[in-house]
Amino acid sequence: MTPAATFSATPSSDVDEAALRAGPRAFVDAELAPRADAFDEAAEIPEWFLTSLAEQGMWGAVRTGGMVAFGVLHEEVGRGCSSARSLLTVHSMALYALDRWGSAAMRERWLDPMTEGGRLGAFCLTEPGAGSDITAVAATARPAPGGGWLLDGHKKWVTGGERADLLLVFARTERGVSAFLVPADTPGLTRTPVRGLLGTRAALTAEIRFDGCRLPAEALLGAEGMGTAIAAGVLDIGRYSVASGSVGIVQACLDASVHHATTRRQGGVLIGRHQLIQKMITEMAVNLRAARALCLRAGRLKEAGDPATIVETCAAKYLASVSAMRAATDAVQIHGASGCSAERSVARYFRDAKIMEIIEGSSQIQEVLIAQHALTAAGGARPAARAGAPAAPEGSTA
Amino acid sequence: MSEQTGTRIRDFILTRFPGVELDDRVDIFTLGFVNSLFAMELVMFLEKEFDLRIPNEEMSLDNFRTVEGMSALVARVRAGASAGAGPA
């Protein structure tokens, strides 16, 4: 029998967390963090550095290392550079979809190079008129004469879209919303880099247009009309990555704040001696522990294949991203004027943290989902479940 | 359908939505409380609970609409796995 493998079956939850963290931490400290401000300034992560990530085996982690290890990796990378973590996030989402629902032909062509990082992926859901509400997707895929599909549409805010080789695209078909894997060199596909973003500026974000792109039949993921369920599964991976990366931002804010508080003197006194500074550092340190614990719990549940991971990941993403924004706000405050400039990385953390509260389901979407879960689990909002009840509208996937 | 399979599926849904009066032939997607996250939870539950992987050709919404449909899906996937498990 084919083993259950909704998520990576390789257990890492029983491995010492410090052991999982050591390798990524050393790489981030030596190679990524020192360059992250320059990447942000240039609004680009250069190709040679993407290759460095491949040499570290980071692109394939969603398949190879277990989900706890995946989360620890994304936390560490997020501590150094949210743009790099964002690229890993969307690539992991596309790779997960390919592995889980891809046709034999697509898996044969793309699985190894995507796992190794020789080819990169991205996630295309958001549209100008629909936001991230999958039920409002306007892109269309219709049967092509002679077989396959013809894809038309316009996607916005595609992280990694400027560089990706394989795009996970959601489009409306006759039977609902469906998911497709689209090679970036498909004729009719054009991409336009997006510049001037508030945060994750080096994440190679692009707008992408599909104008009569002809796709083979095997480009369809799963079955026609399963796009909503596929998006839910893929967004769960993205949410877990963003939650973990947000924990990394909190850690970076705490590290920078502690360093500044123990070296900066005002009126002859180290500012860390002031209790109002200590309060901000306390908030960071406590929220760091709480958010990291939620991420670890979500990761362990994923490795166990436990459906509870879905809402636990929402909770982790919610707390971690809100904590990142709060920590970054306080880190800038502790650094004073220098924290408002490119002189200090905390300015980048602040801009990046705001993005974390928006992507892969905004904080408000998470609040709704978590509340719905709590209400229904308590027996609230429970209609009689009998055949013939009226249809309810689909909800947002985000 | 296997009554035991149906009971386990029904129990999972009732754990998530306590108090719901669940008819095995009711379309759960018409009840107003099922969102895309729960659809994902259902897939994970079936795969973990019954130690199987739902193949692409079975990833159709229609297979997940009712307890009866999900029980039939489990039986089909198990039968397919058994049929494919020949000698090495």
Side-chain angles (χ1 to χ4, degrees):
Chain A
M1 177 182 292
T2 306
T6 300
F7 295 100
S8 175
T10 309
S12 56
S13 56
D14 53 352
V15 177
D16 180 41
E17 189 192 321
L20 295 175
R21 196 177 295 278
R25 170 169 284 180
F27 175 81
V28 167
D29 285 343
E31 306 294 338
L32 178 56
R35 296 182 169 95
D37 286 332
F39 293 163
D40 182 73
E41 176 68 22
E44 180 186 19
I45 296 181
E47 192 66 28
W48 69 265
F49 197 84
L50 301 179
T51 302
S52 299
L53 298 180
E55 289 166 357
Q56 295 294 315
M58 292 184 176
W59 295 107
V62 74
R63 293 188 65 223
T64 59
M67 293 308 293
V68 171
F70 175 87
V72 169
L73 169 66
H74 284 226
E75 180 196 321
E76 285 300 320
V77 174
R79 179 173 63 83
C81 175
S82 290
S83 291
R85 201 270 312 138
S86 292
L87 290 173
L88 289 178
T89 300
V90 295
H91 174 83
S92 301
M93 294 163 79
L95 177 55
Y96 174 77
L98 169 68
D99 193 17
R100 180 67 179 82
W101 294 289
S103 63
M106 294 299 281
R107 288 169 55 86
E108 170 70 21
R109 178 179 173 191
W110 291 97
L111 204 52
D112 285 346
M114 293 268 288
T115 302
E116 292 159 6
R119 293 287 182 271
L120 302 187
F123 175 75
C124 304
L125 171 62
T126 306
E127 297 184 355
S132 297
D133 178 3
I134 195 166
T135 63
V137 158
T140 60
R142 53 200 159 86
W149 302 89
L150 287 172
L151 175 65
D152 290 277
H154 179 196
K155 300 291 182 178
K156 286 195 80 173
W157 316 124
V158 181
T159 298
E162 193 181 335
R163 167 61 181 79
D165 302 290
L166 186 67
L167 304 163
L168 170 56
V169 181
F170 294 85
R172 190 165 298 283
T173 60
E174 202 169 280
R175 295 182 187 171
V177 174
S178 302
F180 297 88
L181 288 171
V182 183
D185 60 1
T186 301
L189 186 155
T190 55
R191 41 189 172 184
T192 308
V194 176
R195 293 287 182 262
L197 291 169
L198 173 69
T200 59
R201 295 163 60 96
L204 306 173
T205 302
E207 282 189 45
I208 301 185
R209 291 179 185 274
F210 306 91
D211 184 13
C213 291
R214 182 157 195 151
L215 309 176
E218 58 263 29
L220 178 70
L221 279 172
E224 186 182 349
M226 286 301 293
T228 302
I230 290 171
V234 167
L235 281 165
D236 178 67
I237 296 293
R239 218 171 271 136
Y240 179 53
S241 166
V242 172
S244 302
S246 298
V247 173
I249 293 176
V250 181
Q251 180 72 68
C253 289
L254 177 62
D255 294 345
S257 297
V258 166
H259 179 265
H260 194 67
T262 52
T263 53
R264 171 73 171 167
R265 292 179 183 274
Q266 284 283 21
V269 178
L270 288 170
I271 64 170
R273 301 286 297 267
H274 297 306
Q275 290 180 336
L276 293 178
I277 298 290
Q278 291 173 8
K279 178 181 185 298
M280 289 189 274
I281 289 175
T282 296
E283 296 281 352
M284 288 181 211
V286 172
N287 286 332
L288 174 66
R289 287 167 169 80
R292 183 176 282 151
L294 285 185
C295 286
L296 186 60
R297 173 172 166 75
R300 285 177 171 154
L301 289 168
K302 287 185 195 315
E303 289 198 356
D306 191 323
T309 192
I310 304 291
V311 71
E312 294 300 328
T313 301
C314 291
K317 196 273 180 182
Y318 177 64
L319 181 68
S321 60
V322 169
S323 298
M325 188 70 250
R326 183 170 181 172
T329 301
D330 286 346
V332 169
Q333 192 71 23
I334 289 169
H335 283 75
S338 68
C340 300
S341 72
E343 192 180 309
R344 302 283 184 175
S345 295
V346 292
R348 171 169 55 84
Y349 303 157
F350 180 85
R351 291 186 285 100
D352 289 345
K354 175 44 71 179
I355 308 299
M356 302 308 112
E357 290 192 303
I358 294 170
I359 57 174
E360 318 311 3
S362 67
S363 293
Q364 289 69 33
I365 289 284
Q366 306 306 330
E367 286 166 349
V368 169
L369 292 172
I370 294 164
Q372 283 179 349
H373 190 277
L375 288 167
T376 55
R382 53 186 190 203
R386 297 196 181 284
E394 286 185 75
S396 166
T397 61
Chain B
M1 73 175 178
S2 158
E3 181 53 36
Q4 191 189 24
T5 301
T7 300
R8 287 156 75 181
I9 295 170
R10 205 178 308 119
D11 286 350
F12 174 70
I13 296 171
L14 290 174
T15 301
R16 284 284 282 103
F17 304 102
V20 167
E21 297 170 40
L22 194 60
D23 178 322
D24 282 358
R25 284 181 293 175
V26 73
D27 182 344
I28 62 171
F29 292 101
T30 66
L31 299 177
F33 57 72
V34 174
N35 59 17
S36 57
L37 294 190
F38 185 64
M40 182 63 188
E41 286 182 59
L42 271 179
V43 172
M44 291 187 72
F45 164 74
L46 293 175
E47 295 193 337
K48 180 178 169 62
E49 184 73 12
F50 300 104
D51 190 26
L52 48 82
R53 182 160 181 162
I54 300 167
N56 273 352
E57 60 272 21
E58 296 283 10
M59 285 290 289
S60 161
L61 207 58
D62 289 340
N63 286 335
F64 297 88
R65 288 190 185 283
T66 65
V67 172
E68 197 173 79
M70 284 184 269
S71 296
L73 169 66
V74 169
R76 275 199 309 279
V77 175
R78 281 177 159 170
S82 299

